[in-house]
Each structure stands twice: as structure tokens, then as C-alpha cells.
Amino acid sequence: MNMTRVLSFLQMARYKKTELVEEDISSVSSIQLNEGVSTTTTHIRYHTGISVWGSRSHLEKCLLVLVASLLLIVVVLTALLSASPGFTPSPAIPSQCNFSDDNFESMCLTDTCVYTASEMARSIDKTVDPCDDFYAYACNGWIKNNPIPDGKSMWSIFGKIELQNQLIVKNILEKMDIDKVKSKAEQKARIYYDACMDANETIEALGGAPLQEIIRKIGGWNISNSGFNVQKFDFQAILQNLQNGYNLGGLFNWAVGEDDKSSSKHVIIIDQGGLNLPTRDNYLNKTSHKKILDAYLEFMTKISVLLGGNETHAKEQMSLVIDFETELANITIPAENRRDEELLYMNMTVTELEVMAPFLRWQDFFNDAFRRVNKKISNKDKVVVYASDYLKKLSRVVAKFMETDKGKNTMNNYFVWQAAKSLSPYLSKAFRDAAKILRKAIFGSEGGEELWRYCVTDTNNAIGFAVGAMFVREVFHGPSKPQAEEMIEGLRTAFKRNLKNLAWMDSETREAAILKADAISDMIGFPDYILNPQELDKQYSDLKVEPNKYFQNNIMVNFHALRKNLERLDQPVNRTRWGMTPTTVNAYYTPTKNQIVFPAGILQIPFYDGRNPRSINYGAIGVVMGHELTHAFDDQGREYDRNGNLNQWWNNKTTNQFKLRTACIRDQYSNYTLEGTKLNGKQSLGENIADNGGLKAAFNAYLDYTKNALKNETLPGLNFTHRQLFFVSFAQVWCSSMTKEASTLMIEKDDHSAPRYRVIGSLTNLPEFSREFNCSLGSKMNPVKKCEVW
């Protein structure tokens, strides 16, 4: 949710063309680890016909229950014995049939429920005591039945749904009659996708020529003998060319975003940036990351050679670029030390910025960008800086390298490498394959998904809301939206009620917190405008996309994203603007809007299906909703008031009590280990607070629902109570596997804890879980010491 996350989305905008260019958000899932797609998954929809249940006699109902249960047992056991011998969950037939309507109506026998029950049974490992390791109990079967696909480093429920969504989008795009589509934006999506698929092999024929042309335009490169002259090296010009001309990165990140202290306004925001490996530790801990650094150098050298360079010379020059990036890593502030928004925020004039960071003529830099939207920046205009120490030190680093021709040459190589690294994926196969060795070192997998999956993802990144319109029309039907809204209201009520039970909060802060909870707005499914062709077309009116011009289309998309972002300066904040496209399998909270958002992509089985028992839905999507709601009150979200403004609205005594409780969470997660390495409980603090608070709020909301429910269904063939199903459902959406390399990266980079500890950490802190599964006090899942914030 902090500015590191904001500008990580900016980097995605520049390197992957996504439209997420300024959202300050906290998401529920670790999207940065989903580096590739490699397997085909068939999307199966489950439809329930008109029910004839009510016309049956009591005897017929009882017999049908028994027959259905026996059939389910046969299906489940057959699947288990064939797919994973050794795992023997024991679905149970109802012990008696007393011919009571309540008894029959409490069991859901729709095709959706039978499927859900079967999937749950296949995932459970009955050889594990749920009071010893609930994650293993709930997920070992899933892990055994779902090995990591070739080419991927992580496999999870999120990944499976994402693949299903991609298949849906592929079918829509390929079946589209482009001449009959009313929306020009959707036509552009199809043209972009076709250009990516490259049926005419235009991309292969061009090779590296499109990128070589850009390198010549930005001043040349000595590695490829493309006209670089060190005596004419212009630091300001090349930086402006990269960032303002091609919307690429380098040295720092900047964008137009919402002002944290005046959230109804847009302002220029500047933060640290410039590293090309995932973490600063990749550069600074050279011993443990030698494999990654070696692979990075090999990747850089291969791209250089493909662009016309000599291998030996290129390797020497790229080694110096890595040294330069290491200097940047040395002055980069670690993410765990950047969690206090109030301390990071600095509002200053452009003149003050030039005094603080004189390595750049900032007014000229901004005016070079804003001339594209006919705006002008004065030296008195305000900017918000989140990395003042970094920018001060960066000025000294730049000054040192500008002292010698060798230093200037290295900086030029660094800038050209930004373009080469960012744009090479849009060139021929040889360029895309060059990255495999680096992906293998970082993620433990070479990637290499099927071309159509890559192109679906890339089209969604480029023209995501046009793709979203097609996706929504295809799959997002029925009562999903009102049912989701009903669940959110129930969670809000449960969360507010719990605030009144927290003795550590003073009454004034508690009342303000209740007002903030009431003010949290929600957006579900998709923005309404995308189903209006005229309104959707406005979003992409200045985007030019042409057949058989994949590389150039990418350049145009980059420029489109930059222009859209620059236009926001001096414009009021649109509080209904989405930061994720509808197909996204994720959810998020935006503190400056005090808003939670749930795209259509995540509102499907196993997270949500209106035909499943509510215990399943509350345990899955309900906890996700509670997670995002709790982000409004985590260690960073709590700094924003109900209007989305950063200010100190808490009583000091309550703030101190809050910090004591969050320290307990921090220490708890810091003691967990993954692949022999301890988690970083400080870095993941906000997400862990949200996980714990979301689970508690969702469980209490589910209990509230059961009080007035006309029927409270359970699943057939599973020997679980309704409440136990809630916890199993919660745990199983986090079932996942990952390579050792991906695990290491998650610990070093991700704000979220590893899936295993998202389950174990939250459940061990919730007494209600231990009561439902009869875990004795002192058992691993019911420790004596528990942490509680919300």
C-alpha cells in the first residue's frame, strides 16, 4: 500500500504496458511472482437447472440423499485412489435419516456443490492432525495432485483461475468477427492480439531492427557501434528520452498520483527506483546471489550480441553496468524501512527539489513530459517526494560518474540497457529466449508459456478494459454483484462490532474508526462504463494499433499510458477509477480513496459461487473481503482518515497500544521459516495484520448470517460442520507449491507471507478455530500466546 507498491505498478506500466499507473493499493495476492503461463486448463462452468426437489416426498428425499452420497463417495474415492494413493479422506454418509425437511435442505446436492465437495476431499490429507498443521491437513492432497507445471515457478488456486480466465479471453478474441464489433476499443484489442500472435511472421523477419532504430534515436550505444559519442553524451537528454519519450524507467520513478495529504487532488510524485533485478539484496549479497548475478550478466550479453555487439566487449561493458546498479542498490532504502508514510512524505516546490537533487534540471524535465498534454510546470509548482535521502545520494553518484569518459560511457550503457531490457520481449523469439537463463536463476523455472497465453496476458496489460468488457459479458452474470455487496456489508458490521470490544482503543479513536469503516466504498466486478461502447472507446481514443506491427503497437501503448497519466495533473481525482482490470484474479484496497475493489476475475469458484453453501463463500471470498477491509486499519492504512487523507487522527496512547500489538504480529511471523530462511515479519506486517483481521471479521460475519438464514447448507460426503467448512475453505484457497528460488524471492521481495503461513499464522491467533477443531491449548495450532490487533 506504500509508495514502493505504487511505483512498482508504475514500473509495470512502463515495462508491461499495464494501465495501473498510479494506484496506491494493497492487494490480496502476490501478483509479482506470477511470471509466466505454461499449461492449458479447460474452463468448466456449472449450471443448475430448475429445481424439482420441492416436489419429492420425504421418503424420496431421504433415498436421494443416500444415493447421491454413495455416488459421491464412489467418485471421490475412485479419484483419490487413481490420482493420489496414500491420501484417504473419509467422506461420510449422513448417520441417520429422520425424514425432517431441515435435515434434507441442509445438504447441497447441486452439481456445483458435488464438484466443490470432491475437490475439497481430494485436497485433504487425513494422515495429518489438523491441530498440528492445518495447512498440511487442508492442502497436502492438493499439492500432490497439482505439481508445478513445466515452465512455472509457482502453482496455486490463483494461477489455475488465471489460466481459466486466459482461455476464456482467447476464445472470445479468436471467435470475434471484427467487422461486427461495435466497440473500436475491442477491435483494437483483437488487432493487438493478432499482431502478437504474428501469423505472418513479421516479428521474426524484423529481428532486432525496431529496437536498434530506437537506440540510434536516443544517442547510440558503443556496444553495438550505433553512433554513440561520449563527448556528446547528454545526461538530461537521454533521461528525458527514456522516461518521457518511451515511458521507460531509469534511476528513479515518477508519475502523477493522488496526494496522500489532499487525496482529492493529483500531484507529481517521485520515488526511488532504477534497479533491474527484483531486490537490492541481489546486488549487495553477491555470495548468496552469485547465480542470479551471473545469469543477469549472461542475459545482458546475449541481448547485446543480438543487437550487433561483440560478446567479449559486451560482457566487459555490462559488468560495469551491474557495478553501477550496485551503487544504486547501496543507496536504495529497504522496503521494510519504508512503512511509515508520514515520515516518507515530503511536499516541496520544483525549485526546492532542484536544490535537494541537482543531478537533473527538474523543471525542464517535467516540462518536456507535460508538453505532450499542453501543460506547463513552473518552479513554484508542488511535488511530493518519497525518497529524499535516495535522491540526495543519487546526485552524488551521478556527479561521480559524470567526471570521466568511462563513467559517462557506463551511464549511457545503463540507460540504453533500460530500453533493451524493457523492449526486447516484443522482438523475435531469440530475444525472448535470452531471458530464460535469468528467469531460471530468479524463479527456478525458465518460463516459456505457449504463445497464445503470452499474447492474452500482453493484450490484457495493453488494452485491459476492452478485454474486460468481453470477459464480463461472457462470464459475469446473475446475482454475483448484489450477493457480494451483501457479504461486504455483513463483514463491515462484524468488524465495527468488534471495534467496541477492543479495550486498548480510546473512545474517540474508536468512534473515528467506526466512521472510517462506514465510509469504505466498494467496487465489485467491473466499471460500468466498459459495457457502453461509446464510453469504452473514449478510454482508448488516442491509442493507435495497427496489424502486423507488434513492436510499434507496444511503443504506442506505452505512450498512451504516459499521456493518460499526465492528463490527470490539475484534474480532480476520479474516485471510481479502477486500478485492476476485470479479468484480474486479485482484490485491493486504496487508502487515498478508502475503497475496496473485487474484480470479476476473482469472483468465481473456489473463491465464490452463489450456488455453494455460504460457509464456503465466507471462508474464501469473505476472508478476501475482510482482508481488504482490514487494510484500512493496518500499520499503514490506519494513517489515512476516512476521507483518504494522511494525517494523525489517532490518540497517542491508542497508537502506542496498537504498535505493541503489531509488534507481536511482526515477531510471530519473523519466527517462521521457509526453505531454511526466516520470513521478514517487518516487511509483511501490513499483509499479516490484514490476514488476521480479515479471517476474524469473515468468521463473525458468517456466524451473523447463520442466525437468520432460512437454510444453512453443508456439502455432501464430507464429515465437517458448517463452521469447520468455513476454515477448510479458507485454507484451501491458499494451497500452492513453489520452487526454492521463488520461495527465496517471496521472502526478500513480497509484502505477503508465504501461503503456508498466511493460513497457519492467522488460524493460530483465532480461538474460534481451535474450538471448532477441538485443538487442545498448547498444541501447535492453539499456542498459549496469541497475537491480536483487530
Side-chain angles (χ1 to χ4, degrees), residues 333-574:
I333 310 301
E336 64 263 28
N337 295 337
R338 288 167 49 83
R339 297 198 61 81
D340 192 326
E341 303 283 328
E342 192 74 38
L343 292 178
L344 291 175
Y345 181 99
M346 288 190 67
N347 190 306
M348 62 182 69
T349 65
V350 173
T351 295
E352 290 169 333
L353 174 62
E354 291 189 332
V355 171
M356 183 186 75
F359 70 90
L360 196 64
R361 300 188 305 277
W362 289 96
Q363 187 179 356
D364 291 345
F365 175 82
F366 291 134
N367 278 321
D368 176 71
F370 284 98
R371 66 182 171 81
R372 290 162 172 78
V373 291
N374 298 315
K375 295 181 187 287
K376 199 158 187 179
I377 304 299
S378 77
N379 59 8
K380 295 181 181 179
D381 282 337
K382 294 286 188 177
V383 297
V384 173
V385 175
Y386 282 88
S388 56
D389 287 345
Y390 173 83
L391 293 179
K392 291 174 186 176
K393 293 174 181 176
L394 180 58
S395 293
R396 294 195 286 270
V397 170
V398 171
K400 181 179 74 171
F401 276 81
M402 288 295 289
E403 289 174 353
T404 65
D405 286 351
K406 180 180 178 181
K408 292 176 183 177
N409 187 68
T410 297
M411 277 203 296
N412 185 71
N413 289 339
Y414 165 79
F415 285 128
V416 175
W417 173 242
Q418 302 303 305
K421 173 188 64 66
S422 303
L423 299 176
S424 59
Y426 314 125
L427 297 173
S428 61
K429 185 175 184 297
F431 284 89
R432 296 195 299 272
D433 287 347
K436 286 184 177 180
I437 186 171
L438 181 58
R439 281 200 297 264
K440 178 74 172 178
I442 293 174
F443 297 106
S445 166
E446 289 186 348
E449 69 256 60
E450 296 162 277
L451 180 60
W452 73 263
R453 291 198 187 277
Y454 167 84
C455 291
V456 165
T457 300
D458 196 48
T459 305
N460 188 62
N461 285 338
I463 318 177
F465 289 100
V467 172
M470 308 176 206
F471 177 80
V472 165
R473 286 197 300 267
E474 183 75 13
V475 303
F476 197 69
H477 302 140
S480 298
K481 192 166 185 174
Q483 287 181 3
E485 289 171 344
E486 178 187 333
M487 290 180 69
I488 290 171
E489 284 308 307
L491 281 153
R492 192 196 315 265
T493 298
F495 186 88
K496 289 192 301 179
R497 184 174 64 244
N498 184 62
L499 289 177
K500 298 176 182 179
N501 300 327
L502 301 177
W504 56 270
M505 292 192 82
D506 70 279
S507 58
E508 183 180 0
T509 305
R510 180 183 292 108
E511 289 305 312
I514 290 173
L515 289 174
K516 180 175 182 179
D518 279 329
I520 295 174
S521 62
D522 59 79
M523 297 195 301
I524 298 170
F526 59 93
D528 291 338
Y529 81 87
I530 69 172
L531 297 185
N532 182 318
Q534 291 74 32
E535 292 300 314
L536 180 61
D537 287 345
K538 287 180 184 178
Q539 177 77 9
Y540 299 100
S541 59
D542 66 343
L543 174 61
K544 185 178 180 180
V545 177
E546 297 183 73
N548 301 316
K549 291 188 177 181
Y550 181 56
F551 186 90
Q552 186 60 30
N553 288 344
N554 275 275
I555 299 299
M556 296 306 296
V557 168
N558 275 7
F559 183 76
H560 169 78
L562 175 64
R563 183 181 177 88
K564 283 291 184 183
N565 182 253
L566 296 176
E567 287 175 345
R568 294 190 184 110
L569 192 66
D570 301 328
Q571 297 298 316
V573 170
N574 177 2

Side-chain angles (χ1 to χ4, degrees), residues 47 112 137 153 204 229 245 250 274 292 298 306 336 346 414 445 536 576 584 597 675 678-679 717 723:
H47 299 284
T112 303
Y137 173 79
S153 65
E204 292 301 313
N229 185 338
I292 291 177
E298 184 174 346
L306 287 169
E336 64 263 28
M346 288 190 67
Y414 165 79
S445 166
L536 180 61
T576 63
T584 306
V597 181
E675 296 287 352
K678 284 194 172 184
L679 305 191
R723 296 178 183 185

Side-chain angles (χ1 to χ4, degrees), residues 233-345:
F233 177 66
D234 189 329
F235 175 88
Q236 180 99 11
I238 192 170
L239 187 55
Q240 289 178 180
N241 259 329
L242 280 177
Q243 297 222 21
N244 303 338
Y246 294 99
N247 200 16
L248 303 174
L251 295 185
F252 60 90
N253 291 317
W254 79 279
V256 175
E258 295 156 17
D259 187 341
D260 279 347
K261 291 199 172 183
S262 183
S263 61
S264 63
K265 300 178 181 178
H266 285 109
V267 67
I268 295 172
I269 299 171
I270 308 168
D271 204 349
Q272 64 186 22
L275 301 181
N276 291 308
L277 291 177
T279 73
R280 65 192 292 273
D281 201 46
N282 291 147
Y283 298 94
L284 303 182
N285 193 339
K286 295 185 182 297
T287 301
S288 62
H289 291 96
K290 183 178 186 302
K291 182 172 72 171
I292 291 177
L293 288 170
D294 289 347
Y296 183 37
L297 180 58
E298 184 174 346
F299 170 51
M300 299 168 89
T301 303
K302 282 187 175 183
I303 295 294
S304 300
V305 171
L306 287 169
L307 290 169
N310 171 272
E311 182 175 353
T312 301
H313 178 61
K315 192 169 187 177
E316 291 173 355
Q317 296 295 301
M318 290 294 99
S319 293
L320 295 176
V321 171
I322 292 177
D323 291 342
F324 178 74
E325 290 186 24
T326 301
E327 294 222 24
L328 297 183
N330 266 310
I331 64 174
T332 299
I333 310 301
E336 64 263 28
N337 295 337
R338 288 167 49 83
R339 297 198 61 81
D340 192 326
E341 303 283 328
E342 192 74 38
L343 292 178
L344 291 175
Y345 181 99

